[in-house]
Amino acid sequence: MEITPLIWVITIAITIAFFVYEFFAHVRTPHEPTIGESARWSVFYISLALLFGVGIGVVSGWTFGGEYFAGYLTEKALSIDNLFVFLIVMAGFAVPKIYQQKVLMIGIVIALILRGIFIAVGATLIENFSWIFYLFGALLLVLAYRQAFGNHDSDPANGRFMRFVRRHLPVSDEYNNDKLTVVKNGKRFVTPMLLTIIAIGFIDLVFAVDSIPAIYGLTDQAYIVFTANAFALMGLRQLYFLIGGLLERLVYLAQGLAVILAFIGVKLVFHALYVNELPFINGGEAVLWAPEIPIWFSLLFIAATVAVATIASLLKTRRSPASVSRSSETITHKEHY
């Protein structure tokens, strides 16, 4: 797949233009989006992402098109899981509804910048060190275990990182519209609005650790990695307001994502064996029996896993609502900042 510097420049410029438009058209004036507004823009961005994938398939071949769709689906599923954490952060800091758009917008931009850095570093490592696939594969297997069996009910707003931030910054106890700082008695304080943005930025950094190795397990094309991530983040703000209530019912999403991460981790290990250069493994020669999992199988597996996790979650919560672990009670009873 040949991507010229001009195509990179155009792609990044268009991506920036979309986010600038989002800010001035929807976020600059504080308001809580309606369900209709959120639904229309969610459909628009998802449709745009799908059309882009079709374009890659037509122009560069359906192998690359399949890699894009598998990557986009994986990143979108991971992003939806991120939304639940954002929901907890918003509740933990008691962010007023009309200001949540701004927090999300800034958080998503931070996420895109951080992922861009990780993508560039990952591309360099993959190009120069084939053994990095072993590391990525092992990392994803560990993250898959933590995703399946970790504690998803912790409060990021009161974690160790945020306690460290509070100790080192003068913090105001109340919001001052959507301002990030406020002056009281001649001294400048940061508002809970800024703390919320810092918390979401830190969470974005943590999520990028599993996001980027996961998609590099599906494609080695940095352009596909970047565009799949960009489209997964586009419309995430609208999706937050559209499916906020539904998030509480996706009780098996974590397990579904764990299966996806474990699958990609195994795929990376197989690929690492196939291109092996480590002298203490098979004498530095490629392990030819290691299977190369085709992209069409990866796409079907990821799509099926997301579908099963979603359907099972909805059936579970419909039959026994009281068993929902990610309940609104957990969120609404978080101690306000």
Side-chain angles (χ1 to χ4, degrees), residues 70 218 263 267 292-304:
L218 300 168
F263 167 76
K267 186 176 185 293
E292 281 283 319
I293 300 174
I295 192 61
W296 65 263
F297 182 83
S298 299
L299 179 57
L300 288 177
F301 183 89
I302 293 167

Side-chain angles (χ1 to χ4, degrees), residues 76-89:
K76 200 66 174 178
L78 288 168
S79 296
I80 291 174
D81 192 50
N82 295 7
L83 286 182
F84 176 75
V85 183
F86 290 172
L87 194 64
I88 295 178
V89 170

Side-chain angles (χ1 to χ4, degrees), residues 32-167:
E32 180 182 354
T34 64
I35 295 296
E37 176 187 342
S38 299
R40 287 192 299 272
W41 282 101
S42 294
V43 170
F44 170 76
Y45 280 118
I46 292 173
S47 300
L48 198 62
L50 296 178
L51 286 173
F52 184 83
V54 172
I56 287 182
V58 171
V59 174
S60 300
W62 286 105
T63 297
F64 292 123
E67 291 177 359
Y68 167 82
F69 281 117
Y72 172 72
L73 187 57
T74 300
E75 294 301 323
K76 200 66 174 178
L78 288 168
S79 296
I80 291 174
D81 192 50
N82 295 7
L83 286 182
F84 176 75
V85 183
F86 290 172
L87 194 64
I88 295 178
V89 170
M90 297 291 190
F93 285 104
V95 182
K97 285 279 188 181
I98 62 172
Y99 302 137
Q100 290 185 6
Q101 282 205 102
K102 183 174 183 178
V103 174
L104 286 168
M105 185 69 183
I106 295 174
I108 289 169
V109 170
I110 292 173
L112 187 60
I113 294 172
L114 290 174
R115 292 185 188 194
I117 295 171
F118 273 65
I119 289 167
V121 172
T124 301
L125 290 174
I126 287 172
E127 185 177 350
N128 293 282
F129 307 103
S130 63
W131 54 261
I132 200 67
F133 289 111
Y134 286 112
L135 182 61
F136 280 1
L139 175 63
L140 287 180
L141 291 173
V142 171
L143 292 171
Y145 177 84
R146 293 180 59 184
Q147 183 76 24
F149 302 106
N151 178 16
H152 298 280
D153 294 324
S154 59
D155 183 2
N158 292 299
R160 281 182 291 181
F161 176 73
M162 289 313 300
R163 291 199 297 270
F164 172 83
V165 171
R166 288 191 185 96
R167 284 198 303 268

Side-chain angles (χ1 to χ4, degrees), residues 73-74 77 80 249-250 252-253 255-257 259-260 298-316:
L73 187 57
T74 300
I80 291 174
R249 298 184 60 188
L250 298 179
Y252 294 129
L253 179 61
Q255 287 73 19
L257 290 174
V259 171
I260 292 172
S298 299
L299 179 57
L300 288 177
F301 183 89
I302 293 167
T305 303
V306 171
V308 169
T310 302
I311 293 171
S313 295
L314 297 179
L315 289 175
K316 170 72 172 178

Side-chain angles (χ1 to χ4, degrees), residues 182-250:
V182 62
V183 176
K184 292 183 177 180
N185 300 322
K187 184 178 180 180
R188 185 169 295 279
F189 292 82
V190 301
T191 67
M193 188 79 170
L194 179 57
L195 289 187
T196 307
I197 292 171
I198 293 174
I200 286 183
F202 178 72
I203 291 166
D204 286 333
L205 176 62
V206 173
F207 277 123
V209 173
D210 59 4
S211 172
I212 301 306
I215 193 170
Y216 267 123
L218 300 168
T219 179
D220 60 358
Q221 299 294 318
Y223 186 76
I224 291 177
V225 175
F226 176 79
T227 52
N229 270 274
F231 277 113
L233 292 173
M234 286 181 184
L236 195 61
R237 177 181 59 81
Q238 292 88 345
L239 204 60
Y240 172 87
F241 292 99
L242 182 63
I243 67 171
L246 180 62
L247 286 172
E248 300 164 11
R249 298 184 60 188
L250 298 179

